[in-house]
Amino acid sequence: MCTHRKQCLTNGLINCRLAAAKRTTCLAVSYLCRHSKKEELRRKQTMKVLVIGIGGNFTMFSNSVTNGGKTTLAEKLKKMLPNCDIISQDDFFKPESEVETDERGFKLYDVLDALYMDEMVTRIRNWIKSPASSGVATEESQSACDNLKNVYILIVEGFLLYNYEPLNELWNRRYFLTLPYEECKRRRSTRVYQPPDTPGYFDGHVWPMYLKYKNELEENATYLDGTNSQEELLSYLYNDIIEQLNKLGKKISTAQHDNVENLDSI
């Protein structure tokens, strides 16, 4: 056999082997893609989110050592709950130059117009669309039972959460902490604000706005007594949220069972 023919046969054999290897690689990639899509679909079908609001237009706790408040309560819950994240309404205040001043010279901070509410709604909606990408997985979630590993919790804390219609359709659970006038005023006086409260600001603006927005609340909000200790409030909120998580967990288990055959056919 001539050298040229041998070379052609050799090249042909090499090409056949390369083609076979290529087909094998394609089959492996195709399998991995199908498997990946199946797992992604399984995750999306069983993933649940719980959006919780903690509202109340006042300082909840006046202990100057802990500087406790709704934010502190939310932060403690985050450490106790699996896959939990927080969004604070205070992060959406407009700069002082954009906040209106009334005829008495009071800066109108306790109104919706003092906040970038559209941006806040967008932030919450983006979180709901992809909570897993926010990196909220915690050590607690790793030890949680299997049917809670795909549950993600968002706690939104602020003072005007339930008076903005685009937000109201997002809540799974709404808590509103209340205080009587004297206690609310006392606690307000222990906080230092920037800019500081002007004389008469509480009676002339803060308290009237608190009553106005409280009266506008719908009945399905859960009212909590803000005079209770932080430990009591934390215990109640934790137990109530866990109850909601268990309900979601049962729904996830049912969804996993119902979707097995459909997923296997992909």
Side-chain angles (χ1 to χ4, degrees), residues 72-165:
T72 302
L73 194 61
E75 290 288 351
K76 289 189 175 183
L77 284 169
K78 180 180 179 179
K79 294 178 181 178
M80 299 167 67
L81 296 167
N83 300 333
C84 187
D85 205 358
I86 297 173
I87 290 178
S88 175
Q89 192 174 38
D90 284 357
D91 293 337
F92 299 91
F93 266 116
K94 295 178 180 178
E96 184 180 359
S97 60
E98 296 183 28
V99 177
E100 294 184 7
T101 303
D102 69 8
E103 66 279 1
R104 297 163 296 180
F106 293 149
K107 279 287 185 180
L108 304 181
Y109 281 103
D110 291 64
V111 297
L112 289 170
D113 286 342
L115 298 146
Y116 294 119
M117 293 300 298
D118 289 344
E119 292 183 13
M120 182 177 177
V121 173
T122 299
R123 175 88 65 84
I124 295 172
R125 288 188 181 278
N126 287 340
W127 187 96
I128 292 173
K129 289 178 183 177
S130 185
S133 66
S134 62
V136 299
T138 61
E139 291 183 2
E140 288 80 6
S141 68
Q142 301 305 317
S143 61
C145 57
D146 288 342
N147 63 347
L148 292 185
K149 287 184 178 180
N150 282 335
V151 178
Y152 292 84
I153 306 165
L154 177 63
I155 297 176
V156 184
E157 61 91 9
F159 65 105
L160 287 178
L161 298 182
Y162 312 130
N163 307 88
Y164 190 64
E165 190 59 36

Side-chain angles (χ1 to χ4, degrees), residues 33-262:
C33 288
R34 288 198 305 271
H35 181 73
S36 178
K37 288 179 180 179
K38 184 188 296 185
E39 290 302 313
E40 179 66 13
L41 181 58
R42 188 193 304 275
R43 185 187 66 81
K44 287 183 177 180
Q45 287 180 333
T46 59
M47 186 178 69
K48 299 289 184 180
V49 297
L50 191 69
V51 182
I52 297 168
I54 300 180
N57 190 13
F58 54 80
T59 303
M60 285 161 48
F61 314 115
S62 57
N63 186 331
S64 60
V65 176
T66 61
N67 196 27
K70 294 183 294 295
T71 302
T72 302
L73 194 61
E75 290 288 351
K76 289 189 175 183
L77 284 169
K78 180 180 179 179
K79 294 178 181 178
M80 299 167 67
L81 296 167
N83 300 333
C84 187
D85 205 358
I86 297 173
I87 290 178
S88 175
Q89 192 174 38
D90 284 357
D91 293 337
F92 299 91
F93 266 116
K94 295 178 180 178
E96 184 180 359
S97 60
E98 296 183 28
V99 177
E100 294 184 7
T101 303
D102 69 8
E103 66 279 1
R104 297 163 296 180
F106 293 149
K107 279 287 185 180
L108 304 181
Y109 281 103
D110 291 64
V111 297
L112 289 170
D113 286 342
L115 298 146
Y116 294 119
M117 293 300 298
D118 289 344
E119 292 183 13
M120 182 177 177
V121 173
T122 299
R123 175 88 65 84
I124 295 172
R125 288 188 181 278
N126 287 340
W127 187 96
I128 292 173
K129 289 178 183 177
S130 185
S133 66
S134 62
V136 299
T138 61
E139 291 183 2
E140 288 80 6
S141 68
Q142 301 305 317
S143 61
C145 57
D146 288 342
N147 63 347
L148 292 185
K149 287 184 178 180
N150 282 335
V151 178
Y152 292 84
I153 306 165
L154 177 63
I155 297 176
V156 184
E157 61 91 9
F159 65 105
L160 287 178
L161 298 182
Y162 312 130
N163 307 88
Y164 190 64
E165 190 59 36
L167 276 180
N168 286 337
E169 62 190 49
L170 304 179
W171 307 118
N172 296 111
R173 204 71 173 162
R174 308 194 306 174
Y175 303 101
F176 189 87
L177 293 118
T178 64
L179 275 181
Y181 168 81
E182 291 296 340
E183 181 64 12
C184 186
K185 186 173 184 178
R186 183 187 71 80
R187 295 187 186 188
R188 177 87 182 192
S189 68
T190 66
R191 295 289 296 271
V192 177
Y193 294 92
Q194 290 297 331
D197 286 353
T198 56
Y201 187 70
F202 180 86
D203 289 311
H205 176 64
V206 175
W207 185 251
M209 288 298 100
Y210 165 73
L211 294 178
K212 175 181 182 296
Y213 288 117
K214 180 175 178 292
N215 291 334
E216 292 177 357
L217 281 179
E218 299 176 2
E219 293 181 357
N220 59 352
T222 300
Y223 290 86
L224 302 177
D225 185 352
T227 62
N228 289 336
S229 68
Q230 188 181 74
E231 290 73 21
E232 290 174 309
L233 291 169
L234 185 64
S235 175
Y236 175 85
L237 288 169
Y238 176 77
N239 289 327
D240 192 60
I241 293 170
I242 288 296
E243 182 178 344
Q244 302 305 311
L245 287 177
N246 288 331
K247 292 178 181 178
L248 280 178
K250 291 178 181 178
K251 291 181 180 179
I252 288 176
S253 295
T254 301
Q256 288 173 332
H257 175 76
D258 292 344
N259 289 323
V260 166
E261 292 184 358
N262 291 333

